[in-house]
Amino acid sequence: MPAARRYLPGTMVLETSWHTPTGWIIVRDVLLIGPWHHERDLSRTHRRAPTDYDADHVLLRTVRCVSGEVQVTLDCEPMFDYGRKPARWSYTDRGYHQGVARAEGVGLELRLTSDMRLGFEGGRAMARTLLKQGETRYCALSWTEHDPPYTYEEAYQRLVRTAHHWQHWLARGDIPDHPWRGFLERSALTLKGLTFAPTGALVAATTSLPETPGGERNWDYRYTWIRDSTFALWGLYTLGFDWEADDFFWFIADLAERDEELQIMYGVDGERELDEKILDHLYGYEGARPVRVGNAAYTHRQNDVWGAVLDSFYIHTKSRDRLDERIWPILKRLVESAIKHWREPDRGIWEVRGEPRHFTSSKVMCWVAADRGARLARLRDEPELAERWQAVADEIHEDVCKNGVSDRGVFTQHYETEALDASLLLIPLVRFLPPDDPRVRATVLAIADELTVDELVLRYKPEETDDGLTGTEGSFTICSFWLVSALVEIGELDRARRLCEKLLSFASPLGLYAEEINPVNGRQLGNFPQAFTHLALINAVIHIIRAEERMRNGSPYGQIPPRAAGA
């Protein structure tokens, strides 16, 4: 076990300290970033406007012995095609200091470069050395035409340049000076790290822990979800990262412009087909099976998608005080799609694999689509469209309030049940109803009291929800952060602050969050690190910070202005 692990402050450079009986070493890992590469040619992948920097596609590791002496071993055993094709290693013209890994039928080549002497044992590249105090070594794994470092001195210089890049990027933001500032900074860095720069797509997660240890709830989340767009744009704009917000916005606009029927999720380059396959030859963390690649949820109908996109268009327009001409025809088509389909059942925000239902949150997001469309039509001076769309928004609103509320005045998961659902916490956040409406307050408090385990929020109770799966799951961290925001909205600032403090205490040692937390032992479960969770963290923390500011300024309520809530 490592003695300590951290990110270098303000960076994505991972530092790990190791203690052995004979000495101490410090290991640093980083994906290198360098200057823009395409000065004489055009990039084959970038669709967003270039900046001054670009990914080097080099994974660098440096090792420094700081005390005593330590025997160090390098062991690199890549497997191609999801573990089905082992690597074959060969030397390059750099002799013992560089090897290339290839596999039959695979176009990708991996280059391993090091100041250690490499040897090959089947599919493994190995090196061994004794490091004494003050000595250093490095290795670099690269996969494109961009050169890796060829000396430790060059490796160190490029590591420092990458660290400075992250610190300079973070300095561009507008992050409040608050005791929780570090959580906002780490979330912002994590979201930037999850961004596919060529298109602006925000990846949901890079790895997946099982939602239940040993269980079947294991999913491939290396894709981008349209539902993330509202919180992504709100969070990035709020923290001052307008370039990243704009890039994600234009990625969403590209998809909405290209596809007549918008999917709920896409590949990071806009790929539509994400067929799900089970890899029977693999098992996951702690033996979890099945292992999946692809995600069949891309075929699901989720009626909340139009509201997410329209709200993101609305947030983007507010940030610019104008409506881009290119967006208007896309916007009209999406609003009309929401109007056409809002009466139909769907699989809801949680992508349940049971039967489609009339999910209340989906209806609410269809209302968002019509409501934001009407607001933007007024901005564009289109009174007839604005009037028609507002009429539909009012109709949806009436339908939800008639069919989606239980006898006790609490919103329900769908129209045919009394069950609760954490997605109902979005009702005050998207301004479907004002936070002082009795139904809103009753719903938020019911979820806080009845849909929690040790104060942490469940998505729903599996025994009350036909999700097509077996087993249980942990609390959904995004839902717990939504509850923080919703509690602030209804004026329960003290309770919101206590819950937020508890949630922040569950961060991993690196300040990261998975999709779920086991409320009993605090163990992280599910997709990791999850962008949606970090977006909800930003929303919750900013809610509390702004509510505290309003209280200091003499407001009697903890509520924050509508703009700050993302609506």
Side-chain angles (χ1 to χ4, degrees):
M1 293 290 291
R5 178 171 289 165
R6 64 167 185 158
Y7 283 114
L8 296 186
T11 80
M12 295 293 285
V13 180
L14 179 63
E15 180 183 88
T16 309
S17 300
W18 296 88
H19 180 213
T20 74
T22 59
W24 286 79
I25 60 172
I26 293 178
V27 177
R28 288 177 174 172
D29 296 300
V30 60
L31 283 165
L32 292 177
I33 296 175
W36 179 253
H37 296 299
H38 303 279
E39 295 295 347
R40 295 183 176 84
D41 62 336
L42 295 177
S43 168
R44 297 186 301 272
T45 58
H46 279 76
R47 296 206 295 272
R48 306 279 79 86
T51 61
D52 299 325
Y53 52 86
D54 197 4
D56 280 341
H57 303 118
V58 176
L59 176 61
L60 173 67
R61 169 168 288 182
T62 65
V63 185
R64 178 166 57 96
C65 183
V66 296
S67 177
E69 59 182 31
V70 178
Q71 287 185 324
V72 175
T73 299
L74 183 157
D75 192 340
C76 181
E77 187 177 9
M79 296 286 286
F80 295 91
D81 192 24
Y82 298 106
R84 286 180 285 226
K85 295 183 178 180
R88 299 192 314 273
W89 286 95
S90 60
Y91 290 108
T92 71
D93 57 2
R94 293 186 174 271
Y96 284 112
H97 295 292
Q98 189 176 68
V100 177
R102 302 180 178 91
E104 184 177 352
V106 176
L108 179 68
E109 295 183 354
L110 298 176
R111 283 184 294 169
L112 181 63
T113 307
S114 178
D115 54 359
M116 300 171 67
R117 287 177 287 275
L118 300 173
F120 308 133
E121 300 289 349
R124 299 169 67 187
M126 300 181 64
R128 297 169 290 191
T129 193
L130 176 68
L131 279 185
K132 298 182 179 180
Q133 183 173 335
E135 293 183 338
T136 58
R137 292 291 185 273
Y138 87 96
C139 61
L141 192 67
S142 54
W143 53 92
T144 65
E145 70 276 11
H146 306 310
D147 284 335
Y150 293 113
T151 65
Y152 178 84
E153 290 71 25
E154 182 188 358
Y156 179 74
Q157 290 172 1
R158 291 172 69 173
L159 183 151
V160 170
R161 183 171 62 193
T162 300
H164 287 169
H165 159 78
W166 284 114
Q167 290 167 340
H168 294 158
W169 178 83
L170 193 60
R172 277 204 292 115
D174 180 20
I175 300 177
D177 187 13
H178 187 273
W180 294 342
R181 178 188 179 99
F183 293 98
L184 293 173
E185 291 180 336
R186 181 49 53 193
S187 291
L189 287 163
T190 302
L191 293 172
K192 179 66 171 175
L194 289 169
T195 299
F196 184 58
T199 64
L202 181 63
V203 180
T206 53
T207 57
S208 180
L209 300 168
E211 294 182 17
T212 304
E216 67 169 334
R217 296 171 183 254
N218 313 299
W219 312 109
D220 186 354
Y221 261 48
R222 298 169 300 157
Y223 306 108
T224 186
W225 264 256
I226 300 299
R227 71 176 181 209
D228 294 0
S229 57
T230 294
F231 276 92
L233 266 63
W234 183 91
L236 293 169
Y237 282 135
T238 297
L239 297 183
F241 297 108
D242 291 11
W243 287 3
E244 288 69 26
D246 289 346
D247 284 353
F248 188 42
F249 171 81
W250 290 117
F251 171 73
I252 298 296
D254 285 346
L255 301 176
E257 188 174 46
R258 182 191 71 184
D259 295 348
E260 189 68 27
E261 290 289 331
L262 200 61
Q263 296 181 180
I264 68 167
M265 57 187 290
Y266 290 87
V268 295
D269 200 31
E271 298 92 341
R272 288 178 53 86
E273 295 184 4
L274 311 174
D275 294 334
E276 186 175 301
K277 302 180 182 66
I278 291 178
L279 304 180
D280 291 321
H281 62 289
L282 293 179
Y283 57 87
Y285 182 71
E286 292 190 348
R289 302 187 80 172
V291 173
R292 297 178 173 93
V293 293
N295 197 312
Y298 84 93
T299 63
H300 289 184
R301 173 180 289 281
Q302 289 178 218
N303 293 346
D304 62 349
V305 66
W306 302 296
V309 175
L310 263 297
D311 207 24
S312 67
F313 284 6
Y314 183 63
I315 293 170
H316 176 79
T317 301
K318 287 197 304 181
S319 75
R320 294 293 178 271
D321 292 323
R322 68 182 182 89
L323 179 61
D324 292 283
E325 195 65 31
R326 174 191 170 193
I327 295 302
W328 181 244
I330 306 172
L331 184 155
K332 288 199 297 183
R333 178 163 52 82
L334 292 175
V335 175
E336 295 297 343
S337 293
I339 290 172
K340 177 181 178 182
H341 295 291
W342 76 266
R343 293 182 179 84
E344 300 171 4
D346 72 334
R347 296 186 185 275
I349 188 175
W350 307 126
E351 300 153 11
V352 297
R353 300 198 173 194
E355 291 299 314
R357 301 284 187 181
H358 290 281
F359 286 99
T360 302
S361 64
S362 295
K363 308 292 187 187
V364 168
M365 292 307 291
C366 285
W367 171 86
V368 169
D371 175 78
R372 304 310 189 257
R375 297 189 194 193
L376 292 168
R378 294 187 198 102
L379 180 65
R380 191 181 162 84
D381 196 20
E382 298 268 1
E384 293 182 2
L385 267 182
E387 184 178 356
R388 182 166 68 84
W389 289 347
Q390 188 62 58
V392 176
D394 294 343
E395 183 184 359
I396 299 172
H397 197 283
E398 181 181 358
D399 186 79
V400 171
C401 292
K402 177 182 177 181
N403 298 301
V405 181
S406 69
D407 292 340
R408 60 175 180 150
V410 171
F411 284 96
T412 59
Q413 181 185 62
H414 58 79
Y415 284 5
E416 298 86 22
T417 185
E418 297 282 308
L420 292 169
D421 191 294
S423 63
L424 302 168
L425 294 168
L426 295 175
I427 286 175
L429 302 185
V430 300
R431 298 299 184 244
F432 180 79
L433 283 171
D436 58 357
D437 185 286
R439 293 163 295 184
V440 171
R441 182 175 182 83
T443 301
V444 173
L445 294 178
I447 291 172
D449 295 336
E450 302 170 27
L451 197 61
T452 55
V453 177
D454 197 17
E455 299 183 289
L456 304 186
V457 183
L458 307 174
R459 292 190 298 180
Y460 49 75
K461 294 181 178 179
E463 65 272 18
E464 297 178 348
T465 302
D466 176 22
D467 63 6
L469 298 168
T470 60
T472 61
E473 58 185 25
S475 67
F476 254 62
T477 313
I478 183 174
C479 301
S480 297
F481 280 121
W482 283 349
L483 179 57
V484 171
S485 299
L487 286 169
V488 173
E489 291 284 333
I490 66 171
E492 296 285 341
L493 180 56
D494 290 341
R495 186 171 183 178
R497 188 187 293 109
R498 288 195 302 271
L499 177 57
C500 196
E501 288 173 345
K502 182 171 186 173
L503 290 169
L504 296 179
S505 74
F506 282 122
S508 80
L510 296 176
L512 302 177
Y513 285 87
E515 184 177 31
E516 303 177 25
I517 293 173
N518 183 317
V520 176
N521 56 24
R523 188 180 189 184
Q524 305 271 350
L525 300 168
N527 303 297
F528 181 84
Q530 194 185 45
F532 214 3
T533 302
H534 283 274
L535 290 167
L537 181 154
I538 293 170
N539 190 275
V541 170
I542 293 295
H543 260 80
I544 289 180
I545 291 174
R546 291 183 175 175
E548 290 174 343
E549 291 173 352
R550 286 169 56 80
M551 294 291 283
R552 286 195 297 269
N553 293 333
S555 171
Y557 301 104
Q559 299 161 7
I560 63 175
R563 180 181 177 85

Short mmCIF file of all heavy atoms in Angstrom, two decimals, residues 80-123:
data_model
loop_
_atom_site.label_atom_id
_atom_site.label_comp_id
_atom_site.label_asym_id
_atom_site.label_seq_id
_atom_site.Cartn_x
_atom_site.Cartn_y
_atom_site.Cartn_z
N PHE A 80 -4.62 -6.08 -26.07
CA PHE A 80 -5.44 -5.38 -27.05
C PHE A 80 -6.81 -6.05 -27.17
O PHE A 80 -7.00 -7.20 -26.77
CB PHE A 80 -4.74 -5.38 -28.41
CG PHE A 80 -3.45 -4.60 -28.44
CD1 PHE A 80 -2.23 -5.20 -28.17
CD2 PHE A 80 -3.45 -3.24 -28.73
CE1 PHE A 80 -1.05 -4.49 -28.21
CE2 PHE A 80 -2.28 -2.51 -28.77
CZ PHE A 80 -1.07 -3.14 -28.50
N ASP A 81 -7.74 -5.33 -27.78
CA ASP A 81 -9.08 -5.84 -28.07
C ASP A 81 -9.73 -6.43 -26.81
O ASP A 81 -10.21 -7.55 -26.81
CB ASP A 81 -9.03 -6.89 -29.19
CG ASP A 81 -10.40 -7.25 -29.72
OD1 ASP A 81 -11.33 -6.43 -29.59
OD2 ASP A 81 -10.56 -8.38 -30.24
N TYR A 82 -9.74 -5.63 -25.73
CA TYR A 82 -10.37 -6.02 -24.47
C TYR A 82 -9.86 -7.36 -23.96
O TYR A 82 -10.63 -8.23 -23.55
CB TYR A 82 -11.89 -6.04 -24.61
CG TYR A 82 -12.47 -4.69 -24.94
CD1 TYR A 82 -12.94 -4.41 -26.23
CD2 TYR A 82 -12.52 -3.69 -23.98
CE1 TYR A 82 -13.46 -3.15 -26.53
CE2 TYR A 82 -13.04 -2.44 -24.28
CZ TYR A 82 -13.50 -2.18 -25.56
OH TYR A 82 -14.01 -0.94 -25.86
N GLY A 83 -8.55 -7.52 -23.99
CA GLY A 83 -7.93 -8.70 -23.40
C GLY A 83 -7.92 -9.92 -24.28
O GLY A 83 -7.52 -11.00 -23.84
N ARG A 84 -8.35 -9.80 -25.54
CA ARG A 84 -8.41 -10.97 -26.42
C ARG A 84 -7.13 -11.16 -27.23
O ARG A 84 -6.90 -12.24 -27.78
CB ARG A 84 -9.62 -10.85 -27.35
CG ARG A 84 -10.95 -11.11 -26.64
CD ARG A 84 -12.13 -10.98 -27.57
NE ARG A 84 -12.46 -9.61 -27.89
CZ ARG A 84 -13.69 -9.10 -27.87
NH1 ARG A 84 -14.71 -9.88 -27.52
NH2 ARG A 84 -13.92 -7.85 -28.18
N LYS A 85 -6.29 -10.11 -27.32
CA LYS A 85 -5.09 -10.20 -28.15
C LYS A 85 -3.88 -9.71 -27.36
O LYS A 85 -3.76 -8.52 -27.08
CB LYS A 85 -5.26 -9.38 -29.43
CG LYS A 85 -6.36 -9.90 -30.34
CD LYS A 85 -6.45 -9.10 -31.63
CE LYS A 85 -7.51 -9.68 -32.56
NZ LYS A 85 -7.62 -8.94 -33.83
N PRO A 86 -2.98 -10.62 -27.00
CA PRO A 86 -1.78 -10.21 -26.26
C PRO A 86 -0.82 -9.44 -27.17
O PRO A 86 -0.85 -9.55 -28.39
CB PRO A 86 -1.18 -11.54 -25.80
CG PRO A 86 -1.66 -12.54 -26.80
CD PRO A 86 -3.03 -12.09 -27.22
N ALA A 87 0.03 -8.68 -26.52
CA ALA A 87 0.99 -7.86 -27.27
C ALA A 87 2.22 -8.68 -27.65
O ALA A 87 2.60 -9.63 -26.97
CB ALA A 87 1.40 -6.66 -26.42
N ARG A 88 2.85 -8.27 -28.75
CA ARG A 88 4.17 -8.77 -29.14
C ARG A 88 5.13 -7.59 -29.12
O ARG A 88 4.91 -6.57 -29.79
CB ARG A 88 4.15 -9.38 -30.54
CG ARG A 88 3.21 -10.58 -30.70
CD ARG A 88 3.47 -11.29 -32.04
NE ARG A 88 3.58 -10.34 -33.13
CZ ARG A 88 2.56 -9.86 -33.84
NH1 ARG A 88 1.33 -10.25 -33.51
NH2 ARG A 88 2.73 -9.01 -34.83
N TRP A 89 6.20 -7.72 -28.36
CA TRP A 89 7.15 -6.63 -28.19
C TRP A 89 8.35 -6.79 -29.12
O TRP A 89 8.79 -7.90 -29.41
CB TRP A 89 7.66 -6.58 -26.75
CG TRP A 89 6.65 -6.04 -25.77
CD1 TRP A 89 5.80 -6.77 -25.00
CD2 TRP A 89 6.42 -4.67 -25.46
NE1 TRP A 89 5.03 -5.95 -24.21
CE2 TRP A 89 5.40 -4.64 -24.47
CE3 TRP A 89 6.96 -3.47 -25.90
CZ2 TRP A 89 4.92 -3.46 -23.93
CZ3 TRP A 89 6.49 -2.29 -25.36
CH2 TRP A 89 5.47 -2.28 -24.39
N SER A 90 8.88 -5.66 -29.55
CA SER A 90 10.14 -5.65 -30.32
C SER A 90 10.87 -4.36 -30.02
O SER A 90 10.27 -3.35 -29.64
CB SER A 90 9.86 -5.78 -31.82
OG SER A 90 9.06 -4.70 -32.28
N TYR A 91 12.20 -4.40 -30.18
CA TYR A 91 13.01 -3.21 -29.95
C TYR A 91 12.95 -2.27 -31.15
O TYR A 91 12.66 -2.68 -32.27
CB TYR A 91 14.46 -3.60 -29.69
CG TYR A 91 14.69 -4.29 -28.36
CD1 TYR A 91 14.98 -5.66 -28.31
CD2 TYR A 91 14.63 -3.58 -27.17
CE1 TYR A 91 15.20 -6.30 -27.10
CE2 TYR A 91 14.85 -4.22 -25.95
CZ TYR A 91 15.13 -5.56 -25.92
OH TYR A 91 15.35 -6.19 -24.72
N THR A 92 13.24 -1.01 -30.90
CA THR A 92 13.37 -0.01 -31.96
C THR A 92 14.85 0.31 -32.14
O THR A 92 15.73 -0.34 -31.54
CB THR A 92 12.60 1.28 -31.60
OG1 THR A 92 13.29 1.96 -30.54
CG2 THR A 92 11.19 0.96 -31.16
N ASP A 93 15.13 1.35 -32.92
CA ASP A 93 16.52 1.73 -33.13
C ASP A 93 17.14 2.39 -31.90
O ASP A 93 18.32 2.76 -31.93
CB ASP A 93 16.64 2.65 -34.35
CG ASP A 93 15.79 3.91 -34.22
OD1 ASP A 93 15.13 4.08 -33.17
OD2 ASP A 93 15.77 4.71 -35.18
N ARG A 94 16.39 2.52 -30.84
CA ARG A 94 16.93 3.07 -29.59
C ARG A 94 17.38 1.97 -28.64
O ARG A 94 17.62 2.22 -27.45
CB ARG A 94 15.91 3.99 -28.92
CG ARG A 94 15.66 5.25 -29.73
CD ARG A 94 14.77 6.24 -29.01
NE ARG A 94 14.69 7.49 -29.77
CZ ARG A 94 15.53 8.51 -29.65
NH1 ARG A 94 16.52 8.44 -28.78
NH2 ARG A 94 15.39 9.59 -30.39
N GLY A 95 17.51 0.76 -29.14
CA GLY A 95 18.07 -0.34 -28.37
C GLY A 95 17.24 -0.70 -27.16
O GLY A 95 16.00 -0.79 -27.23
N TYR A 96 17.93 -0.91 -26.03
CA TYR A 96 17.25 -1.37 -24.83
C TYR A 96 16.31 -0.32 -24.22
O TYR A 96 15.58 -0.63 -23.27
CB TYR A 96 18.28 -1.77 -23.76
CG TYR A 96 18.94 -3.10 -24.04
CD1 TYR A 96 20.29 -3.17 -24.37
CD2 TYR A 96 18.21 -4.29 -23.94
CE1 TYR A 96 20.90 -4.39 -24.61
CE2 TYR A 96 18.81 -5.52 -24.18
CZ TYR A 96 20.16 -5.56 -24.51
OH TYR A 96 20.77 -6.77 -24.75
N HIS A 97 16.32 0.88 -24.73
CA HIS A 97 15.57 1.96 -24.09
C HIS A 97 14.22 2.25 -24.74
O HIS A 97 13.54 3.19 -24.33
CB HIS A 97 16.42 3.23 -24.05
CG HIS A 97 17.64 3.08 -23.19
ND1 HIS A 97 17.58 2.96 -21.82
CD2 HIS A 97 18.96 2.99 -23.52
CE1 HIS A 97 18.80 2.82 -21.34
NE2 HIS A 97 19.65 2.83 -22.35
N GLN A 98 13.82 1.45 -25.73
CA GLN A 98 12.48 1.63 -26.30
C GLN A 98 11.99 0.34 -26.92
O GLN A 98 12.74 -0.35 -27.62
CB GLN A 98 12.47 2.74 -27.35
CG GLN A 98 11.05 3.12 -27.82
CD GLN A 98 11.06 4.29 -28.78
OE1 GLN A 98 11.55 4.16 -29.91
NE2 GLN A 98 10.53 5.42 -28.35
N GLY A 99 10.72 0.03 -26.65
CA GLY A 99 10.08 -1.12 -27.27
C GLY A 99 8.74 -0.73 -27.85
O GLY A 99 8.12 0.25 -27.42
N VAL A 100 8.28 -1.51 -28.85
CA VAL A 100 6.98 -1.28 -29.48
C VAL A 100 6.13 -2.53 -29.29
O VAL A 100 6.59 -3.65 -29.55
CB VAL A 100 7.12 -0.96 -30.97
CG1 VAL A 100 5.75 -0.80 -31.61
CG2 VAL A 100 7.94 0.31 -31.17
N ALA A 101 4.90 -2.33 -28.83
CA ALA A 101 3.95 -3.43 -28.66
C ALA A 101 2.94 -3.41 -29.78
O ALA A 101 2.33 -2.37 -30.06
CB ALA A 101 3.25 -3.31 -27.31
N ARG A 102 2.76 -4.55 -30.43
CA ARG A 102 1.79 -4.68 -31.53
C ARG A 102 0.98 -5.95 -31.32
O ARG A 102 1.36 -6.86 -30.57
CB ARG A 102 2.50 -4.76 -32.88
CG ARG A 102 3.40 -3.58 -33.21
CD ARG A 102 4.06 -3.75 -34.58
NE ARG A 102 4.89 -2.62 -34.97
CZ ARG A 102 6.18 -2.51 -34.73
NH1 ARG A 102 6.80 -3.49 -34.06
NH2 ARG A 102 6.86 -1.45 -35.12
N ALA A 103 -0.16 -6.02 -32.01
CA ALA A 103 -0.98 -7.23 -32.01
C ALA A 103 -1.56 -7.41 -33.40
O ALA A 103 -1.87 -6.43 -34.09
CB ALA A 103 -2.09 -7.14 -30.97
N GLU A 104 -1.73 -8.64 -33.81
CA GLU A 104 -2.22 -8.94 -35.16
C GLU A 104 -3.64 -8.40 -35.33
O GLU A 104 -4.52 -8.60 -34.49
CB GLU A 104 -2.21 -10.45 -35.38
CG GLU A 104 -2.61 -10.85 -36.79
CD GLU A 104 -2.51 -12.35 -37.00
OE1 GLU A 104 -1.99 -13.05 -36.11
OE2 GLU A 104 -2.97 -12.82 -38.07
N GLY A 105 -3.84 -7.68 -36.44
CA GLY A 105 -5.16 -7.15 -36.76
C GLY A 105 -5.54 -5.90 -36.00
O GLY A 105 -6.67 -5.44 -36.10
N VAL A 106 -4.60 -5.32 -35.25
CA VAL A 106 -4.85 -4.11 -34.47
C VAL A 106 -3.97 -2.99 -35.01
O VAL A 106 -2.75 -3.14 -35.11
CB VAL A 106 -4.57 -4.34 -32.96
CG1 VAL A 106 -4.75 -3.04 -32.19
CG2 VAL A 106 -5.47 -5.43 -32.42
N GLY A 107 -4.58 -1.88 -35.37
CA GLY A 107 -3.82 -0.78 -35.95
C GLY A 107 -3.03 0.03 -34.93
O GLY A 107 -2.07 0.71 -35.29
N LEU A 108 -3.40 -0.04 -33.68
CA LEU A 108 -2.74 0.74 -32.64
C LEU A 108 -1.41 0.12 -32.25
O LEU A 108 -1.30 -1.10 -32.07
CB LEU A 108 -3.65 0.83 -31.41
CG LEU A 108 -3.11 1.60 -30.21
CD1 LEU A 108 -3.01 3.08 -30.51
CD2 LEU A 108 -3.99 1.34 -28.99
N GLU A 109 -0.39 0.96 -32.11
CA GLU A 109 0.91 0.55 -31.60
C GLU A 109 1.23 1.35 -30.34
O GLU A 109 0.95 2.54 -30.25
CB GLU A 109 2.02 0.78 -32.62
CG GLU A 109 1.91 -0.04 -33.87
CD GLU A 109 3.08 0.18 -34.81
OE1 GLU A 109 3.91 1.08 -34.54
OE2 GLU A 109 3.15 -0.53 -35.83
N LEU A 110 1.81 0.67 -29.36
CA LEU A 110 2.22 1.32 -28.12
C LEU A 110 3.74 1.34 -28.06
O LEU A 110 4.40 0.31 -28.28
CB LEU A 110 1.68 0.57 -26.90
CG LEU A 110 0.16 0.49 -26.76
CD1 LEU A 110 -0.20 -0.36 -25.54
CD2 LEU A 110 -0.44 1.88 -26.61
N ARG A 111 4.31 2.52 -27.76
CA ARG A 111 5.76 2.64 -27.60
C ARG A 111 6.08 2.87 -26.13
O ARG A 111 5.49 3.76 -25.50
CB ARG A 111 6.30 3.81 -28.42
CG ARG A 111 6.42 3.53 -29.91
CD ARG A 111 7.06 4.70 -30.62
NE ARG A 111 6.20 5.89 -30.59
CZ ARG A 111 6.60 7.11 -30.94
NH1 ARG A 111 7.85 7.31 -31.31
NH2 ARG A 111 5.75 8.12 -30.89
N LEU A 112 6.99 2.08 -25.61
CA LEU A 112 7.45 2.24 -24.24
C LEU A 112 8.88 2.73 -24.27
O LEU A 112 9.77 2.06 -24.81
CB LEU A 112 7.35 0.91 -23.48
CG LEU A 112 7.78 0.94 -22.01
CD1 LEU A 112 6.90 1.87 -21.19
CD2 LEU A 112 7.77 -0.47 -21.42
N THR A 113 9.12 3.91 -23.70
CA THR A 113 10.43 4.54 -23.71
C THR A 113 10.87 4.75 -22.28
O THR A 113 10.08 5.19 -21.43
CB THR A 113 10.36 5.90 -24.44
OG1 THR A 113 9.77 5.73 -25.72
CG2 THR A 113 11.75 6.50 -24.60
N SER A 114 12.15 4.47 -21.99
CA SER A 114 12.62 4.58 -20.61
C SER A 114 14.13 4.75 -20.58
O SER A 114 14.85 4.35 -21.51
CB SER A 114 12.23 3.33 -19.82
OG SER A 114 12.71 3.40 -18.49
N ASP A 115 14.64 5.36 -19.48
CA ASP A 115 16.08 5.37 -19.26
C ASP A 115 16.53 4.12 -18.51
O ASP A 115 17.71 3.97 -18.19
CB ASP A 115 16.51 6.64 -18.52
CG ASP A 115 15.76 6.87 -17.22
OD1 ASP A 115 14.88 6.05 -16.89
OD2 ASP A 115 16.03 7.88 -16.54
N MET A 116 15.59 3.21 -18.23
CA MET A 116 15.92 1.88 -17.73
C MET A 116 16.10 0.95 -18.93
O MET A 116 15.60 1.21 -20.03
CB MET A 116 14.81 1.36 -16.81
CG MET A 116 14.57 2.23 -15.60
SD MET A 116 13.09 1.77 -14.65
CE MET A 116 13.58 0.18 -14.01
N ARG A 117 16.79 -0.16 -18.74
CA ARG A 117 17.01 -1.11 -19.84
C ARG A 117 15.87 -2.12 -19.87
O ARG A 117 15.62 -2.82 -18.88
CB ARG A 117 18.36 -1.80 -19.67
CG ARG A 117 19.54 -0.89 -19.97
CD ARG A 117 20.87 -1.58 -19.73
NE ARG A 117 21.13 -1.73 -18.30
CZ ARG A 117 21.68 -0.78 -17.53
NH1 ARG A 117 22.01 0.38 -18.08
NH2 ARG A 117 21.89 -0.99 -16.26
N LEU A 118 15.19 -2.18 -21.01
CA LEU A 118 14.00 -3.01 -21.15
C LEU A 118 14.35 -4.42 -21.63
O LEU A 118 15.28 -4.61 -22.43
CB LEU A 118 13.04 -2.38 -22.16
CG LEU A 118 12.52 -0.97 -21.85
CD1 LEU A 118 11.72 -0.44 -23.03
CD2 LEU A 118 11.67 -0.97 -20.58
N GLY A 119 13.57 -5.38 -21.14
CA GLY A 119 13.61 -6.74 -21.65
C GLY A 119 12.19 -7.24 -21.84
O GLY A 119 11.25 -6.69 -21.25
N PHE A 120 12.01 -8.27 -22.65
CA PHE A 120 10.68 -8.75 -22.98
C PHE A 120 10.52 -10.20 -22.56
O PHE A 120 11.39 -11.04 -22.83
CB PHE A 120 10.41 -8.62 -24.48
CG PHE A 120 10.67 -7.24 -25.02
CD1 PHE A 120 11.40 -7.06 -26.19
CD2 PHE A 120 10.21 -6.11 -24.35
CE1 PHE A 120 11.66 -5.79 -26.68
CE2 PHE A 120 10.45 -4.84 -24.84
CZ PHE A 120 11.19 -4.68 -26.00
N GLU A 121 9.42 -10.49 -21.90
CA GLU A 121 9.05 -11.86 -21.52
C GLU A 121 7.65 -12.10 -22.04
O GLU A 121 6.66 -11.73 -21.42
CB GLU A 121 9.09 -12.03 -20.00
CG GLU A 121 10.44 -11.77 -19.33
CD GLU A 121 11.44 -12.87 -19.64
OE1 GLU A 121 11.03 -13.92 -20.20
OE2 GLU A 121 12.63 -12.68 -19.35
N GLY A 122 7.56 -12.69 -23.26
CA GLY A 122 6.26 -12.88 -23.89
C GLY A 122 5.61 -11.53 -24.15
O GLY A 122 6.18 -10.66 -24.82
N GLY A 123 4.42 -11.31 -23.58
CA GLY A 123 3.72 -10.05 -23.78
C GLY A 123 4.09 -8.98 -22.78
O GLY A 123 3.46 -7.91 -22.76
#
